Amino acid sequence: MSSSSVRTSLSLLFLALLISPAVSQTCKSQTFSGDKTYPHCLDLPQLKAFLHYSYDVANTTLAVVFSAPPAKPGGWIAWAINPKGTGMVGAQTLVAYKDPGNGVAVVKTLNISSYSSLVPSKLAFDVWDMKAEEAARDGGTLRIFARVKVPADLVAKGKVNQVWQVGPELGPGGMIGKHAFDPPNLASMSPLDLKGGNSGSTTISGGGEVNAKIKKRNIHGILNAVSWGILFPIGAIIARYMRIFESADPAWFYLHVSCQFSAYVIGVAGWGTGLKLGSESEGIRFTGHRNIGIALFALATIQMFAMLLRPKKDHKYRFYWNIYHHGVGYAILILGIINVFKGLNILNPQDTYKTAYIAVIAILGGIALLLEAVTWVIVLKRKSNNSMKP
């Protein structure tokens, strides 16, 4: 074998050694500090996380080592037991992060009663031997070591509901920031068999329930984008510009009413799915999006009923009714578009969906500007012709 072939073979071997740990890493290939042994390990199905654990039947103590890479450099990781549910609300949580002051990994406890209150607090059961470390060779992965006293009612079941999560950098004052609400984050939960029945395999993550919730979120987003974000603007364009053309009367009115009523019906359906999602997602609150949605529903409902009280053209109150109708209509138009963008930021879909909606709004805006110019020309010509008449 020539020297060049030897060098090539050694280079390929070296490259393979570099790549293979990242590709084939499992819980069984992990090593960490300490002299304790953990007979059971799991490749958790989300967020590139791993769990090593052992359970002492005699004193009902669960010893764990949880490891995962933070969502961002300087971020945090968390592992929890939820005694009463499957999600993060109610979870008795261990959180690890690097102290911003000295860069040393630390671990804190959180009793999460809601997503709006993520401050260190004592857990509902005893926990000791807590420590955290950074695995520099694993790309900044953090690890949590702890021993927890399993509550008696969970001991009888032989399983606990575990939840894990990763998050971004800490906020001001060392506050734990909210994690993302992407599908992997929402699916990061599963039952943990204390005796190791699910050891060495991917755990059941409750994917069916999570996928159903994601489907509802998508339906909610589509309904509201079509109603408040597209149909209402189209209806407003019809009302403002088509009525200038005498030949379009009264067709423009029926088109306007049909468009806005369809938008209202679809919007109410989207609003209802939003309420359902809120009731099924205890502790998850998007206050701004929610409040704008309630305001839209109230304004649109008032607008629909106002059509029943629409005075005739020559009525003395028609002028005031027009001011009210136009003002509420433009408020719905603006709030609807704002809330669609807020919803897109929450759903965090592929960029193509957001780009597509921006393109639709840009096209409608361009059409409105063009028609604005055309209608002003028509109105000015009519005024000029009327001024020349005796």
Side-chain angles (χ1 to χ4, degrees), residues 228 232 295-296 299-301 303 327-337:
W228 311 113
F232 261 107
L296 280 170
L299 289 173
T301 301
Q303 192 81 314
V328 173
Y330 286 126
I332 293 172
L333 181 66
I334 295 169
L335 289 175
I337 294 173

Side-chain angles (χ1 to χ4, degrees), residues 165-342:
Q165 199 56 255
V166 299
E169 61 273 6
L170 303 181
M175 293 290 292
I176 304 298
K178 289 185 179 181
H179 61 77
F181 289 88
D182 297 333
N185 299 88
L186 296 175
S188 57
M189 62 188 77
S190 72
L192 175 66
D193 190 329
L194 295 174
K195 297 180 180 179
N198 47 10
S199 180
S201 63
T202 300
T203 59
I204 300 171
S205 64
E209 179 182 348
V210 171
N211 289 336
K213 187 172 290 187
I214 292 172
K215 185 177 179 180
K216 289 179 183 177
R217 292 174 69 196
N218 292 338
I219 292 172
H220 169 72
I222 291 170
L223 290 175
N224 285 290
V226 170
S227 60
W228 311 113
I230 297 176
L231 286 179
F232 261 107
I234 291 174
I237 290 172
I238 291 171
R240 178 166 177 81
Y241 302 113
M242 282 190 66
R243 64 180 178 179
I244 299 298
F245 303 95
E246 295 176 351
S247 60
D249 193 19
W252 71 266
F253 173 76
Y254 295 111
L255 283 173
H256 170 67
V257 171
S258 299
C259 190
Q260 302 303 67
F261 182 74
S262 300
Y264 176 73
V265 171
I266 296 171
V268 170
W271 186 71
T273 58
L275 292 178
K276 181 66 174 175
L277 281 168
S279 65
E280 293 176 353
S281 306
E282 184 181 354
I284 301 177
R285 294 289 182 268
F286 301 102
T287 306
H289 182 67
R290 174 177 173 270
N291 291 342
I292 293 176
I294 292 172
L296 280 170
F297 171 74
L299 289 173
T301 301
I302 293 171
Q303 192 81 314
M304 292 298 114
F305 280 105
M307 293 301 297
L308 303 176
L309 304 174
R310 179 171 174 259
K312 294 181 179 180
K313 288 183 179 181
D314 56 353
H315 196 281
K316 63 179 181 178
Y317 292 126
R318 178 59 181 262
F319 172 75
Y320 302 103
W321 186 91
N322 284 339
I323 293 175
Y324 148 78
H325 183 66
H326 295 163
V328 173
Y330 286 126
I332 293 172
L333 181 66
I334 295 169
L335 289 175
I337 294 173
I338 290 173
N339 221 28
V340 168
F341 279 108
K342 281 184 171 290

Side-chain angles (χ1 to χ4, degrees), residues 47-49 67-72 76-77 138-142 166-167:
L47 306 177
K48 302 177 183 178
S67 61
K72 293 182 180 179
W76 53 267
I77 67 168
D138 291 340
T141 292
L142 293 176
V166 299

